[in-house]
Amino acid sequence: MEKKPFVVGKNISLYSIEKDDIDFLTYCNNSVDIRDTFFINSPTNNLQQEKVFENLYKSNLNYLPFIVYENSSMEKIGITAFHRLDLVNRATTYSIILPNKKYWGKHYGSEVTALMLNYGFDILNLNRIQLHVAINNKPAVKIYEKNGFIKEGTLREAMYHNNKYCDFFVMSILRNEFYKKD
């Protein structure tokens, strides 16, 4: 059966995760740059990712991930997700992983973020989308601000990484802010 995109953008599209994506999920989570950015401290393997996949669509969908494909090459280039999706309070936490540096600086992160915001506010009827980002991850902060996220505060010394404590911004965008920015 041919894979169909769930959300289509100009340069990238979002697809549901399938069993044949397990190798890519393992690659993303073990990527040196992603481990450093996401503060991942232990490796994963295909067996662990298979167990995650088996339970992915059995739950109450509080975790809603997508594989990011580049439209022109149909290459898998990343993962994006809503975590702790709460349809009662209409809120979620957003993440994006683009593990291969060859796709950095091409505005894909911004496009993925815009597509996820559209999906979250237009389809899921959310009111709040938030995220946590390390203060020193300036490219990510810039992408989020470009897409309308506002810094709400700082989580001081929130994580210990590379022999030091690191601060994180809490950023969010609300439904009314999203519709005002257009």
Side-chain angles (χ1 to χ4, degrees):
M1 179 186 294
E2 180 186 348
K3 268 188 158 182
K4 297 284 186 192
F6 189 76
V7 178
V8 179
K10 179 181 174 190
N11 299 301
I12 57 96
S13 292
L14 309 179
Y15 288 74
S16 63
I17 292 180
E18 302 291 342
K19 192 167 183 127
D20 66 348
D21 296 318
I22 289 172
D23 284 344
F24 185 70
L25 298 175
T26 301
Y27 163 72
C28 286
N29 287 304
N30 287 332
S31 164
V32 173
D33 294 312
I34 298 309
R35 282 194 341 260
D36 196 49
T37 303
F38 273 75
F39 293 57
I40 297 170
N41 61 14
S42 58
T44 188
N45 60 41
N46 284 4
L47 182 60
Q48 290 168 308
Q49 291 300 319
E50 225 172 280
K51 287 180 182 177
V52 170
F53 173 77
E54 287 170 7
N55 293 311
L56 184 61
Y57 298 109
K58 289 181 185 177
S59 72
N60 60 1
L61 289 182
N62 64 355
Y63 173 59
L64 190 56
F66 295 97
I67 297 289
V68 180
Y69 278 80
E70 182 183 49
N71 290 341
S72 62
S73 68
M74 283 308 293
E75 281 187 57
K76 298 173 190 178
I77 67 166
I79 306 168
T80 188
F82 287 143
H83 306 260
R84 294 178 294 284
L85 181 61
D86 181 342
L87 296 177
V88 173
N89 292 303
R90 298 174 47 208
T92 194
T93 301
Y94 170 69
S95 72
I96 178 175
I97 294 174
L98 298 176
N100 191 328
K101 285 184 178 182
K102 91 177 194 182
Y103 297 110
W104 296 6
K106 295 187 174 194
H107 306 285
Y108 292 159
S110 188
E111 185 174 352
V112 171
T113 302
L115 289 175
M116 288 295 281
L117 291 177
N118 280 314
Y119 173 61
F121 291 121
D122 291 346
I123 305 302
L124 297 178
N125 198 29
L126 296 174
N127 183 60
R128 175 186 171 85
I129 299 174
Q130 71 177 23
L131 58 89
H132 296 168
V133 60
I135 287 177
N136 65 349
N137 190 347
K138 293 181 187 337
V141 172
K142 185 177 177 182
I143 286 169
Y144 302 140
E145 288 177 331
K146 176 183 176 187
N147 278 279
F149 281 87
I150 295 168
K151 293 175 190 163
E152 291 185 335
T154 303
L155 299 171
R156 298 176 313 130
E157 296 186 0
M159 296 190 77
Y160 190 76
H161 185 64
N162 292 334
N163 206 29
K164 65 180 178 185
Y165 285 98
C166 301
D167 296 344
F168 281 72
F169 287 130
V170 176
M171 299 179 77
S172 72
I173 182 170
L174 302 177
R175 180 181 193 81
N176 66 348
E177 295 164 344
F178 175 75
Y179 289 112
K180 280 182 190 172
K181 72 180 182 84
D182 290 337

